[in-house]
Amino acid sequence: MNCIVCVASVPDTASVIKLRADGTGIDETGIKWIVSPYDEYALEAALQLTEAKGGEVTVVTYGPAGAEPALRDCLARGAHKAVHVLGGEKTLGDSFTIAKVLAAAIKDRAHDLVLCGVKGVGTDCSQVGQMLAELLGLPHVAIVTALEVGDGSLAATREVEGGKEKVECPLPALLTCQKGLNEPRYAALKGIMAAKKKPVDKLEVSSLGIQEGADAFYAVARFELPPAKSAGTIIQGENDPAGAATQLVKLLREEAKAI
Amino acid sequence: MAGILVFVEQRDGEIRKASLQAVSEAKRHGGAGGEVTAVLVGAGIGGAAAGLGAWGAAKVFVADNPALGLYSAEGYTEAVTAAAAKAQPSAIFFAGTAMGRDLAPRVAARLGVGAIADVVKLARDGDGFTARRPVYSGKAFAEVTTAGKRPQVISLRPNVFAAEESGGSAAVENLDGLGLSIRAVVKELVKAAGGELDVAEADIIVSGGRGIKGPENFALIKSLADALGGAVGASRAVVDAGWIAHSHQVGQTGKVVSPSLYVACGISGAIQHLAGMSSSKIIVAINKDPDAPIFKIADYGIVGDLFEVIPPMVAAIKAL
């Protein structure tokens, strides 16, 4: 069971997002970078599968040199090897280009399963997995919250509005992993030491036949922060909660017209 | 290439509201200078097609096939791309539901183009659109295009665009001879007990956080949600504590929502939670701590004990 896990290095979810003065991107000063939280579920699923069935976990990222700690984190948790396609500064949010790069990096590496997170926390496009599946000619199951992998096939549960879909699918296949699928492990000290010796295959994106920025599918004109909100109406309800409740309902009905 | 093709989602033959919003938005933009067409996919669903005319579709392509009764990314991709081959649209719209968000990127990749997800505003720009979409879970917004590529594959966030009947009738054309090769097969759709409303599609959400003190007290949150006809949401803290299923989680690692009314009960307002709900139209906070960050983005709030505030609120709402 060989698994390939696609990961992204993203700003910590606790980050306060500020923009560069010219609005062309976020101000990265002081931002802590982490493995995108959903990718952790993908990695954990792959680690559990290879522990049970043998085979290797390869983590792949497409990102700048600064993404390497995210790969080392995955290696420290137990991934066997890593592929780092260097680049990505010009393709942030361009899901199709990212999928093309990943497809080119993955296609000749053995894979029974390709696993991604449901989305990269950041650009929040939630598209790379499906596009990658299409480019690799694989079936996919997205938003997976439960998984059983058998001999040559898998059974997965995926989350949809107001319910769940039970899906069966032959291997090889691609999955996008959602919170609830498992409890991701942390890296232990031993793993962190071992990760330093594990191989990271570094590739320039141009070596995959892709000229970054030459054939874009997504272009950002500008970034903006959300409009500032004016102060709300706050009722002190410690002494008269029932009165405050009645007043709030009245405001919601008559002023906000929300109920 | 001209016009807008809209993928219309149905469940049990009933058109989803978010899809009507997408058809209406296509119509409001005059089909980007061409026709608004729709594609409806499923089994035994032909009866719903003609009705889409009233919402602005001039033509509806129908893929009615027993193999398409339950959702299949591969099968539905086949149907949508077949409709696109006939309509030759300059844009393809999807409602940004679980299905639309899954299907749009697969369709785009099949057509050799990119896609823009989770759009909250569209502006006409020549024969195409510039789209506004939240990034970093709404901590910022990006104005984006498909860098000149056509068709533009775009998914629209549910409940942001209005659904409005414009009158009219639609021609119906069956899509026959689809080459279906479905490997990932949905065997069963298990609906949540009691037809529970999902936060992703609810127009009103009442959420509980640490301040509700224990899982049993979600009954209190649910009583307020029921009185308002809304869905029950939750903060990450209580989902991680196992008090309620992750499908209820609102925030950066849960669902990002934009309901018309969001009531946060006992939620202090961690940055990850605020990111997931700050684009709600009206935000109400109920919290004991007057310094809780949630009050900074609340339109209305009560500083008080939610256990003493919610029951009279429920009574007052029922008395309306």
Side-chain angles (χ1 to χ4, degrees):
Chain A
M1 176 68 47
N2 288 307
C3 296
I4 292 184
V5 182
C6 303
V7 302
S9 175
V10 302
D12 189 331
T13 57
S15 305
V16 174
I17 298 295
K18 292 186 212 130
L19 300 183
R20 287 183 211 136
D22 61 2
T24 56
I26 65 163
D27 179 355
E28 295 181 359
T29 316
I31 294 240
K32 183 184 160 206
W33 296 84
I34 58 167
V35 175
S36 184
Y38 294 101
D39 299 343
E40 296 187 340
Y41 304 111
L43 176 63
E44 181 62 34
L47 292 173
Q48 289 181 11
L49 282 169
T50 51
E51 280 161 5
K53 296 170 186 288
E56 286 194 331
V57 176
T58 305
V59 285
V60 180
T61 198
Y62 170 39
E68 188 169 337
L71 283 181
R72 292 284 170 200
D73 183 8
C74 296
L75 292 171
R77 296 188 209 205
H80 298 84
K81 53 192 182 185
V83 178
H84 188 171
V85 183
L86 288 151
E89 287 94 341
K90 289 181 190 156
T91 58
L92 190 67
D94 187 344
S95 310
F96 194 46
T97 299
I98 295 167
K100 283 180 165 189
V101 169
L102 292 173
I106 291 168
K107 67 177 173 31
D108 296 327
R109 294 170 202 270
H111 55 269
D112 300 294
L113 265 184
V114 179
L115 301 101
C116 304
V118 145
K119 65 176 175 188
V121 166
T123 60
D124 298 342
C125 291
S126 194
Q127 299 188 135
V128 170
Q130 288 89 341
M131 288 175 164
L132 180 56
E134 178 68 24
L135 293 173
L136 292 171
L138 298 177
H140 80 261
V141 188
I143 332 181
V144 171
T145 54
L147 175 66
E148 272 181 62
V149 178
D151 219 7
S153 69
L154 63 86
T157 301
R158 66 183 296 259
E159 209 177 78
V160 296
E161 294 93 350
K164 288 168 178 167
E165 288 177 348
K166 305 262 187 191
V167 191
E168 288 178 16
C169 181
L171 299 178
L174 183 144
L175 305 174
T176 78
C177 302
Q178 168 70 315
K179 186 168 180 175
L181 177 59
N182 51 45
E183 276 300 324
R185 70 193 67 184
Y186 292 106
L189 185 61
K190 194 175 153 207
I192 294 168
M193 298 312 288
K196 290 179 180 166
K197 294 186 193 119
K198 288 184 180 173
V200 177
D201 187 2
K202 290 187 187 175
L203 305 171
E204 292 297 330
V205 64
S206 57
S207 74
L208 299 170
I210 293 165
Q211 200 67 42
E212 211 174 71
D215 186 26
F217 292 88
Y218 179 91
V220 180
R222 65 177 177 281
F223 289 94
E224 282 173 13
L225 292 176
K229 265 197 117 156
S230 49
T233 306
I234 309 298
I235 306 160
Q236 301 304 320
E238 288 97 330
N239 299 324
D240 180 13
T246 313
Q247 193 189 341
L248 175 63
V249 170
K250 193 163 182 277
L251 283 167
L252 290 176
R253 178 74 159 201
E254 291 170 9
E255 189 179 274
K257 302 196 186 333
I259 59 176
Chain B
M1 283 190 179
I4 302 173
L5 173 67
V6 185
F7 168 72
V8 173
E9 181 176 342
Q10 54 79 30
R11 200 182 268 181
D12 300 330
E14 195 181 324
I15 308 287
R16 304 293 290 263
K17 191 176 72 177
S19 292
L20 296 177
Q21 294 163 359
V23 176
S24 293
E25 183 64 9
K27 181 70 177 173
R28 276 191 289 275
H29 288 286
E35 267 192 339
V36 175
T37 54
V39 52
L40 183 64
V41 187
I45 39 87
L52 288 166
W55 300 88
K59 188 179 220 179
V60 182
F61 299 100
V62 178
D64 197 333
N65 187 312
L68 299 172
L70 289 172
Y71 174 63
S72 150
E74 295 161 281
Y76 280 43
T77 295
E78 202 59 56
V80 175
T81 50
K86 286 177 183 284
Q88 292 287 315
S90 57
I92 308 178
F93 286 4
F94 294 79
T97 57
M99 190 188 292
R101 294 290 298 272
D102 189 52
L103 185 57
R106 186 124 200 169
V107 166
R110 179 76 54 93
L111 296 172
V113 294
I116 304 177
D118 200 22
V119 168
V120 295
K121 198 174 173 190
L122 280 174
R124 265 297 283 288
D125 177 11
D127 72 334
F129 294 97
T130 297
R132 182 177 170 86
R133 58 181 305 271
V135 291
Y136 303 98
S137 302
K139 291 179 194 170
F141 288 87
E143 303 275 343
V144 306
T145 67
T146 51
K149 300 288 197 297
R150 301 286 184 273
Q152 293 186 308
V153 175
I154 292 170
S155 68
L156 305 177
R157 181 180 284 198
N159 291 338
V160 170
F161 300 89
E164 48 184 355
E165 286 190 75
S166 51
S169 60
V172 176
E173 182 177 337
N174 288 311
L175 294 171
D176 299 318
L178 294 175
L180 295 177
S181 154
I182 298 175
R183 292 166 292 179
V185 180
V186 177
K187 293 287 184 184
E188 192 186 358
L189 170 63
V190 186
K191 289 181 190 155
E196 200 176 74
L197 195 56
D198 192 281
V199 290
E201 22 180 40
D203 200 38
I204 295 179
I205 298 170
V206 183
S207 286
R210 280 267 183 220
I212 71 165
K213 292 186 176 151
E216 66 282 4
N217 294 325
F218 263 107
L220 186 65
I221 300 299
K222 188 162 189 321
S223 71
L224 181 54
D226 286 348
L228 291 167
V232 172
S235 71
R236 187 173 88 176
V238 299
V239 170
D240 286 352
W243 293 3
I244 193 165
H246 172 254
S247 56
H248 293 270
Q249 186 182 323
V250 172
Q252 198 161 4
T253 51
K255 286 174 180 143
V256 178
V257 297
S258 313
S260 54
L261 176 63
Y262 189 90
V263 186
C265 308
I267 293 177
S268 64
I271 188 167
Q272 295 95 336
H273 190 77
L274 300 185
M277 44 63 77
S278 58
S279 61
S280 306
K281 289 184 193 82
I282 298 286
I283 296 168
V284 175
I286 302 167
N287 204 298
K288 271 207 284 206
D289 174 8
D291 298 321
I294 190 84
F295 283 119
K296 290 203 172 59
I297 64 153
D299 298 282
Y300 299 94
I302 295 181
V303 177
D305 184 344
L306 66 94
F307 293 97
E308 293 175 3
V309 169
I310 293 177
M313 256 187 96
V314 171
I317 292 160
K318 285 185 175 159
L320 286 173

